[in-house]
Amino acid sequence: MIREFQYRGETFRVNAHGVAGHEEVFIMHLVDGEEEGEISIDRMTEENDTSAPIDAICVMLCDKLIIENSIDVADPDGAFAWVEMKTLRDVLPTRDDWATH
């Protein structure tokens, strides 16, 4: 999964792969569309709450990244929210695609 989200008035991108609770999760801080900082966790090997939803992991990592990079956030009270994005490409075929091939 690759998605963008807003948190504390900043834009971030998450790249997560694996199964729920056991993903590798990479967070990038975006400034004017450019990556300005990155933090990650390997939920398969590093200490974490494997039952936590991905958005909670994003918030935890963002809080660490903000502190580590001394980011002056635009809205200290800004909540987490996924950014709706246009789908550029579906990776897996739909059931209808399978039936026609």
Side-chain angles (χ1 to χ4, degrees):
M1 167 183 75
I2 299 173
R3 288 191 72 182
E4 289 184 8
F5 60 92
Q6 296 282 315
Y7 178 62
R8 298 180 74 183
E10 301 295 317
T11 301
F12 297 89
R13 180 178 298 135
V14 60
N15 181 344
H17 51 91
V19 296
H22 300 284
E23 312 95 336
E24 283 188 284
V25 181
F26 298 87
I27 301 289
M28 284 74 59
H29 179 222
L30 302 177
V31 177
D32 297 326
E34 300 292 323
E35 295 178 9
E36 291 291 322
E38 181 177 319
I39 192 167
S40 65
I41 186 171
D42 183 341
R43 295 184 75 192
M44 293 176 270
T45 60
E46 296 179 48
E47 186 72 26
N48 71 95
D49 177 2
T50 57
S51 66
I54 192 69
D55 54 341
I57 297 300
C58 290
V59 165
M60 176 202 62
L61 289 173
C62 284
D63 286 338
K64 287 182 179 181
L65 182 63
I66 289 166
I67 291 168
E68 289 176 7
N69 290 3
S70 301
I71 299 170
D72 186 20
V73 297
D75 180 4
D77 298 321
F80 177 95
W82 292 111
V83 172
E84 292 302 318
M85 299 176 62
K86 176 183 167 189
T87 301
L88 299 177
R89 178 173 298 150
D90 285 324
V91 177
L92 296 175
T94 66
R95 289 183 185 268
D96 292 336
D97 290 336
W98 288 345
T100 60
H101 295 290

